[in-house]
Amino acid sequence: MDEKITLTLPKQKSIALIAHDGKKPELIQWCEDNKEILKAHFLCGTGTTARMISDKTGLPVRGYNSGPLGGDQQIGAKIVEGRIDLVVFFSDPLSAQPHDPDVKALMRIAQVYDIPMAINKASADFMINSSLMNNEYNHDVINFQKNIADRANTL
């Protein structure tokens, strides 16, 4: 069994939109500025952020729980299920967050599954304007079945 398997991000991406409270206005403006591109993709996000983006831009955004109430964990679970292709997370590095462990877990799971993640406007701009944004993209991830089998044999 191979160490890695190839997964394909489809042309129409599932994009998670998340922002800490102090960054919500910036993410909403970014969504408004990139509305024409975002319209072609499936959007979801944590509770308050999803609602505010939808209300202010008219974009349909499926909302999960608020971040402090488990929304970051829900997004992480969707990554594991292969149902999220990109994450745009405008985080606030200058404010303490009560759910910081959840945020770190989300970032870690995005790394494990090789999911592109923008953490600020500049990285989000580069990502959304990439030639890969509207095309399929193949990426190699850990072969989790092999990993489980190997671990089971060594324990």
Side-chain angles (χ1 to χ4, degrees):
M1 217 184 273
D2 292 334
E3 295 288 324
K4 301 265 186 173
I5 58 171
T6 301
L7 297 180
T8 301
L9 299 182
K11 283 184 178 187
Q12 183 182 36
K13 311 286 188 289
S14 291
I15 304 170
L17 302 167
I18 308 165
H20 285 144
D21 288 351
K23 296 290 183 171
K24 286 182 187 349
E26 186 178 357
L27 180 58
I28 292 164
Q29 186 60 54
W30 182 84
C31 289
E32 183 63 41
D33 294 345
N34 292 286
K35 195 178 195 175
E36 289 307 309
I37 296 169
L38 292 171
K39 272 196 230 177
H41 302 280
F42 172 77
L43 307 176
C44 65
T46 50
T48 312
T49 303
R51 172 94 184 253
M52 291 175 75
I53 291 169
S54 193
D55 288 351
K56 303 229 187 237
T57 68
L59 290 165
V61 185
R62 177 177 180 170
Y64 294 106
N65 286 353
S66 174
L69 299 177
D72 299 318
Q73 296 297 302
Q74 287 179 297
I75 300 286
K78 298 295 177 203
I79 290 171
V80 172
E81 294 169 4
R83 296 178 62 196
I84 295 205
D85 304 311
L86 306 173
V87 177
V88 175
F89 188 168
F90 282 22
S91 64
D92 186 350
L94 301 178
S95 296
Q97 304 297 327
H99 62 297
D100 193 54
D102 297 335
V103 171
K104 284 189 170 70
L106 172 61
M107 293 175 90
R108 181 185 167 281
I109 211 69
Q111 287 179 303
V112 168
Y113 284 82
D114 196 34
I115 297 298
M117 183 174 202
I119 59 166
N120 55 32
K121 183 181 179 302
S123 58
D125 286 343
F126 272 81
M127 187 163 69
I128 203 165
N129 289 299
S130 164
S131 62
L132 302 172
M133 188 64 196
N134 294 310
N135 293 300
E136 287 186 349
Y137 174 74
N138 294 323
H139 62 128
D140 292 335
V141 299
I142 296 166
N143 183 338
F144 295 99
Q145 296 301 328
K146 180 180 185 329
N147 182 275
I148 290 167
D150 290 349
R151 284 182 47 86
N153 289 332
T154 60
L155 296 177

